[in-house]
């Protein structure tokens, strides 16, 4: 088992190590395949951090991913609580339909969204990115939180009702505090998904004012049209990846708890 774990870890970390390796190479060193740069340089990082367009893209990504996550938690927790607790008919069918949204390829809806956004003035805006990203983030939030809410004992709601709490008060003051691990796991997963999303971001934006990090990195240019700026692309990728890795490592237990809730009965 440990041998398998080591193989999986090494195979997963090699691409990230090579990304760091490439980011430390500059000039002629980029054409070498050394396992470690002969003359490590942080010039690529300096160039990236001095690029105003990249910093603007980072700010756009933070806004889009944060707002998408907050809205997904707000609407997703309410819908998940209703599907998990309220006596609604056909709850299994509704949950299946919600999950089915994630099976639709994003490419199939880009053309109509582009046309609609252009007509109503949402093209190349942050709001125009948040709405479609939220559409694909909500099913993930609802599905994850529904499983978590089912694990909370119903006796707590009955006790709250005896004390005079209404459904909304019970949900806000009793259920949500107990669902903190599930909310944290869902928030992290939704944030990472919205942060890394590329297809919607590149199709629904055209200027640096609304472009997010993945699009900004894709549009990096070299000194001339025949040069691929591998060093700056690698440095930018490292800069935007390390914070996500840190968040996942810090909250990994909450992520596992949120994803495995409802998997075991008793």
């Amino acid at each position: 088992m440990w041998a398998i774990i080591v193989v999986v870890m090494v195979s997963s970390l090699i691409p990230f190590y090579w990304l760091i390796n490439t980011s430390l190479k500059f000039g002629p060193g980029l054409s070498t395949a050394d396992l470690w740069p002969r003359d490590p340089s942080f010039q690529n990082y300096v160039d990236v951090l001095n690029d105003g367009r990249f910093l603007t893209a980072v700010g756009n990504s933070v806004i889009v991913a944060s707002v998408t996550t907050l809205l997904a938690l707000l609407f997703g927790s309410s819908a998940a609580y209703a599907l998990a607790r309220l006596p609604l008919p056909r709850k299994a069918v509704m949950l299946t339909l919600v999950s089915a949204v994630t099976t639709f390829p994003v490419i199939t809806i880009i053309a109509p969204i582009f046309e609609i956004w252009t007509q109503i003035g949402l093209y190349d805006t942050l709001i125009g990115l948040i709405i479609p990203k939220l559409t694909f983030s909500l099913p993930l939030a609802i599905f994850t939180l529904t499983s978590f809410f089912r694990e909370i004992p119903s006796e707590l709601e009955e006790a709250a009702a005896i004390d005079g709490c209404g459904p909304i008060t019970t949900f806000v003051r009793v259920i949500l505090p107990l669902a903190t691990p599930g909310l944290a796991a869902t928030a992290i997963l939704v944030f990472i998904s919205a942060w890394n999303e590329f297809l919607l971001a590149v199709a629904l934006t055209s200027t640096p004012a609304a472009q997010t990090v993945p699009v900004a990195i894709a549009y990096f240019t070299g000194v001339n049209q025949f040069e691929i700026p591998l060093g700056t692309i690698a440095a930018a990728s490292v800069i935007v990846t390390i914070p996500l890795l840190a968040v996942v490592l810090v909250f990994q237990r909450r992520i596992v708890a949120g994803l495995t809730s409802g998997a075991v009965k008793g």
Side-chain angles (χ1 to χ4, degrees):
M1 181 62 69
W2 279 107
I4 295 175
I5 293 175
V6 170
V7 171
V8 172
M9 289 183 60
V10 171
S11 61
S12 301
L13 292 176
I14 283 178
F16 188 66
Y17 168 76
W18 200 256
L19 185 68
I20 297 176
N21 183 6
T22 304
S23 69
L24 296 176
K25 295 178 180 179
F26 188 77
L30 288 170
S31 60
T32 64
D34 299 329
L35 293 179
W36 184 254
R38 298 178 182 177
D39 299 312
S41 173
F42 290 96
Q43 185 61 43
N44 292 320
Y45 291 91
V46 174
D47 294 340
V48 169
L49 294 176
N50 287 334
D51 189 341
R53 293 174 299 178
F54 177 75
L55 298 180
T56 300
V58 171
N60 293 338
S61 288
V62 170
I63 294 173
V64 171
S66 299
V67 174
T68 301
T69 302
L70 291 176
L71 293 177
L73 290 180
L74 176 62
F75 297 116
S77 60
S78 302
Y81 180 72
L83 291 172
R85 292 302 201 194
L86 300 184
L88 301 175
R90 309 289 184 182
K91 291 194 294 185
V93 176
M94 287 189 286
L95 187 58
T96 301
L97 291 176
V98 169
S99 303
V101 174
T102 60
T103 64
F104 288 94
V106 179
I107 191 66
T108 60
I109 66 171
I110 284 183
I113 290 180
F114 175 84
E115 183 67 22
I116 296 172
W117 266 211
T118 302
Q119 293 181 5
I120 65 178
L122 289 180
Y123 177 74
D124 199 32
T125 64
L126 298 183
I127 298 178
L129 288 179
I130 292 172
I131 294 175
K133 287 177 184 287
L134 180 62
T135 302
F136 287 94
S137 299
L138 266 178
L140 173 63
I142 294 173
F143 186 80
T144 304
L145 292 175
T146 298
S147 300
F148 203 89
F149 286 145
R150 286 174 178 169
E151 290 298 298
I152 299 177
S154 59
E155 290 79 7
L156 295 175
E157 296 168 284
E158 296 172 359
I162 293 175
D163 290 338
C165 295
I168 297 179
T169 304
T170 301
F171 174 64
V172 174
R173 295 189 177 183
V174 178
I175 301 300
L176 285 183
L178 295 175
T180 301
L183 292 172
T186 303
I188 293 172
L189 294 175
V190 171
F191 186 89
I192 292 175
S193 175
W195 180 276
N196 292 332
E197 199 282 325
F198 174 77
L199 198 54
L200 288 170
V202 73
L204 300 179
T205 59
S206 59
T207 63
Q211 289 172 348
T212 55
V213 165
V215 180
I217 294 177
Y219 285 163
F220 276 172
T221 58
V223 177
N224 55 66
Q225 60 179 338
F226 303 105
E227 179 184 354
I228 300 177
L230 295 178
T232 53
I233 290 176
S237 300
V238 172
I239 290 174
V240 300
T241 302
I242 288 180
L244 299 181
L245 290 177
V247 170
V248 171
L249 291 176
V250 171
F251 296 101
Q252 59 179 333
R253 291 189 177 182
R254 292 188 179 273
I255 296 176
V256 173
L259 292 178
T260 58
S261 62
V264 179
K265 295 183 178 179

